[in-house]
């Protein structure tokens, strides 16, 4: 019974029975295993003749049930192509600051929280830092040494004028004064860089250098910080950005680059606002293609004055690309045979011919074919893979018959 069951399945597949009908046939065969042979023969329905391959074309008998499942579309002249590309909104890095600790210390007080609007110079937190206190002390010492060196230089000048000291002593005093001034300037500039003044209080103010909104905070009062807690992979203490303008990272294919040159305008949609479109402009393209995904990163800029768009939102970019010529067919009509693109052309009702074509652009719903197909020709657009399987089995059957002869 197992042998006859598998033989029946193979026969039905070769005759092009649709997969849904094939499952019903399998169930019917299994259910009939316990019946008498005479009852099974009486209930068996006549099977349609299988399609055959002649002169490289797949021929179906008239009225074959599979023909009703093969949708056919007409190749249309290619016009401008509508492209829909996946994208992701991110912070505008030209208007974003990530703040890390410059000195080790303990968080003494918080001055800002998430969502707070800040100006340039706003204190976000206070850090009690002995290391910063050491930098303040170094600056104070340098200023004192500068004062001593300048007074010594003044005395040497007076003594040289009176003829008491030699010129070399005056020159040495001048060199010492210049060195002390340079060291004082360096130490003072270091403390001022981090908001210090003439006092030695060990209080380091963590400030924002830009105006914007606090969009990320990763510290709490009493938390211990170290300067090595920074860099890639380490969260910043604060992230301040201007969300009125966002960047958009677009994943594009090589064939899409003609429509994504710097300055190109586009529209985008997000799931949060169905039916609403936002506008943007292409700013830059990467110089390398990702070898894994075979896509290239394109950066766009999107105005966001009302801050409705949020970073990390997934978006779809819509733009138009000029037609490369050729014809347009549904994307489902094109299959791969090895490295070649193939479509099945309907030569006449029930007769289908596989044809190798050249693809100029692949969209989500349409494909532009630049060679191998003419406008007005009809191609199979539904159940193409099943038709390709039928063609392969027809080729196999034709080979078996030829060997038998």
């Amino acid at each position: 019974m197992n042998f006859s069951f598998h033989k029946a399945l193979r026969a039905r597949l070769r005759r092009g029975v649709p997969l849904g009908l094939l499952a019903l046939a399998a169930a019917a065969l299994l259910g009939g295993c316990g019946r008498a042979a005479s009852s099974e023969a009486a209930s068996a329905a006549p099977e349609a003749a299988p399609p055959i391959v002649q002169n490289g074309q797949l021929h179906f008998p008239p009225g074959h049930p599979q023909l009703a499942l093969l949708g056919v579309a007409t190749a249309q002249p290619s016009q401008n192509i509508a492209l829909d590309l996946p994208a992701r909104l991110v912070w505008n890095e030209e208007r974003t600051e990530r703040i890390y600790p410059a000195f080790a210390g303990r968080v003494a007080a918080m001055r800002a929280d998430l969502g707070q609007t800040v100006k340039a110079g706003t204190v976000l937190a206070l850090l009690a830092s002995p290391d910063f206190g050491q930098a303040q002390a170094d600056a104070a010492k340098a200023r004192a040494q500068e004062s001593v060196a300048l007074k010594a230089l003044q005395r040497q000048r007076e003594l040289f004028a009176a003829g008491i000291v030699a010129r070399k002593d005056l020159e040495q005093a001048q060199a010492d004064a210049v060195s002390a001034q340079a060291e004082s300037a360096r130490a003072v500039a270091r403390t001022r860089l981090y908001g210090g003044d003439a006092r030695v209080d060990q209080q380091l103010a963590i400030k924002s250098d830009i105006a914007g909104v606090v969009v990320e905070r990763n510290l709490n009062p009493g938390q211990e910080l170290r300067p090595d807690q920074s860099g890639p992979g380490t969260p910043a203490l604060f992230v301040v950005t201007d969300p009125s303008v966002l960047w958009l990272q677009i994943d594009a294919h090589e064939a899409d680059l003609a429509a994504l040159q710097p300055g190109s305008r586009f529209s985008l949609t997000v799931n949060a606002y169905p039916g609403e479109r936002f506008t943007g402009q292409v700013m830059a393209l990467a110089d390398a293609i990702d070898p894994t995904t075979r896509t290239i990163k394109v950066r766009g800029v999107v105005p966001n004055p009302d801050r409705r768009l949020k970073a990390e939102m997934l978006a779809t970019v819509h733009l138009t690309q000029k037609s490369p010529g050729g014809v347009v067919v549904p994307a489902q009509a094109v299959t791969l045979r090895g490295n070649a693109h193939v479509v099945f052309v309907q030569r006449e009702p029930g007769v289908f011919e596989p044809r190798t074509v050249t693809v100029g652009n692949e969209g989500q719903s349409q494909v532009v074919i630049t060679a191998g197909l003419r406008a007005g020709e009809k191609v199979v657009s539904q159940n193409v893979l099943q038709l390709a399987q039928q063609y392969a089995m027809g080729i196999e059957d034709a080979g078996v018959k030829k060997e038998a002869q």
Side-chain angles (χ1 to χ4, degrees), residues 138-169:
D138 292 343
K141 292 177 182 178
R143 286 194 297 268
Q145 292 173 355
E146 178 187 9
S147 178
V148 171
L150 291 175
K151 290 179 180 178
L153 175 60
Q154 182 61 31
R155 287 195 300 270
Q156 291 294 325
R157 285 174 176 169
E158 293 173 355
L159 293 173
F160 178 76
I164 300 175
V165 298
R167 178 176 293 275
K168 66 175 184 178
D169 295 330

Side-chain angles (χ1 to χ4, degrees), residues 319-345:
L319 44 83
T320 301
Q321 184 177 19
K322 292 184 179 180
S323 171
V327 296
V328 175
V329 298
Q332 298 87 345
V334 182
T335 63
L336 280 175
R337 182 191 295 171
N339 294 326
H341 293 88
V342 176
V343 297
F344 278 85
V345 180

Side-chain angles (χ1 to χ4, degrees), residues 10-92:
R10 179 68 174 173
R12 289 174 184 272
L13 184 59
R14 289 187 180 280
R15 286 164 173 76
V17 178
L19 296 180
L21 298 178
L22 187 60
L24 294 176
L29 287 174
L30 290 174
C33 290
R35 300 177 182 175
S38 58
S39 175
E40 182 176 338
S43 60
E47 297 180 348
I52 60 174
V53 174
Q54 291 181 347
N55 299 324
Q57 298 176 342
L58 185 63
H59 293 253
F60 282 85
H64 195 281
Q66 190 176 359
L67 292 175
L69 302 178
L70 300 178
V72 177
T74 302
Q76 302 293 334
S78 176
Q79 300 176 351
N80 289 342
I81 306 168
L83 298 179
D84 296 332
L85 304 176
R88 180 170 61 96
L89 289 163
V90 297
W91 299 126
N92 184 341

Side-chain angles (χ1 to χ4, degrees), residues 257-268:
L257 295 184
L260 290 169
Q261 295 302 310
S264 300
R265 307 289 301 182
F266 59 81
S267 63
L268 71 147

